[in-house]
Amino acid sequence: MLLMCSGYISPEYAMEGRFSEKSDVYSFGVLLLEIVSGRRNTSFYGNEQALSLLGFAWKLWNEGNISALVDPAISDPSSQVEIFRCIHVGLLCVQEFPEDRPTASTVVSMLNSEISYLATPKQPPFAERKHHFNEERPHQNEEKCSINYVTVTVVDGR
Ligand SMILES: *[C@@H]1O[C@H](CO)[C@@H](O)[C@H](O)[C@H]1NC(C)=O
Ligand SMILES: *[C@@H]1O[C@H](CO)[C@@H](O)[C@H](O)[C@H]1NC(C)=O
């Protein structure tokens, strides 16, 4: 449930109320990038940080500078391939359009290297307009959380 709050909400759910497995994949991708980058904590302050994390990750990816995203606390040359793989998978999960994102089972296969070829990710949402939400609707975040909580509970109960 916590995942549905603030920065973990996929754009199609936040804006159009469309929820699917791909929305979960999106939330997981944000979480994965936060863990690898050591920026998990900051996202508790809302959308802005999580979205700028996506923008930052996307920038570094395009600069071929992925190593700058990795939390120094887990940065270890012997696990670099796995860590880069996590970032790559994370970026695939947070692609703007749900149809571009992998399914949850594909994500698992990619993370445990059953699938070795990873597609090139497309741009995550908000990479360029990252403050959109908070500026236009400064008090919406908390409301969003409770609405989502109810919606997800209903979906889970089926
Ligand atoms: C987040 O990190 C800051 C310092 O970096 C700390 O003061 C704060 O308690 C942390 N918050 C959470 C929710 O862990
Ligand atoms: C990688 O990104 C970091 C953080 O933005 C920056 O400090 C560093 O100079 C970059 N390195 C390269 C090789 O671009």
Side-chain angles (χ1 to χ4, degrees), residues 20-84:
S20 70
E21 180 195 349
K22 298 297 184 73
S23 315
D24 272 343
V25 167
Y26 177 92
S27 306
F28 179 76
V30 176
L31 190 63
L32 200 57
L33 291 171
E34 285 180 341
I35 291 169
V36 171
S37 65
R39 290 172 173 83
R40 179 173 182 182
N41 173 357
T42 55
S43 71
F44 283 101
Y45 299 102
N47 249 326
E48 205 173 303
Q49 283 84 358
L51 296 179
S52 36
L53 171 62
L54 298 188
F56 183 54
W58 180 243
K59 174 176 172 286
L60 293 176
W61 170 268
N62 285 305
E63 290 170 354
N65 186 9
I66 281 294
S67 53
L69 187 68
V70 180
D71 182 355
I74 61 166
S75 179
D76 168 9
S78 66
S79 54
Q80 199 179 55
V81 172
E82 284 84 3
I83 291 171
F84 283 12

Side-chain angles (χ1 to χ4, degrees), residues 72-147:
I74 61 166
S75 179
D76 168 9
S78 66
S79 54
Q80 199 179 55
V81 172
E82 284 84 3
I83 291 171
F84 283 12
R85 192 171 187 84
C86 283
I87 294 173
H88 195 154
V89 173
L91 285 170
L92 289 172
C93 292
V94 299
Q95 293 176 101
E96 175 152 20
F97 298 106
E99 56 272 26
D100 290 331
R101 296 174 208 146
T103 62
S105 60
T106 303
V107 170
V108 172
S109 300
M110 290 191 299
L111 284 175
N112 66 23
S113 300
E114 279 166 22
I115 296 176
S116 52
Y117 172 76
L118 303 183
T120 302
K122 295 178 189 160
Q123 185 173 320
F126 319 117
E128 270 142 33
R129 46 199 160 97
K130 59 192 176 193
H131 299 309
H132 183 76
F133 271 120
N134 285 350
E135 277 172 10
E136 285 198 351
R137 296 182 293 173
H139 303 299
Q140 284 270 299
N141 277 346
E142 256 150 274
E143 204 180 323
K144 239 340 173 202
C145 277
S146 52
I147 291 169

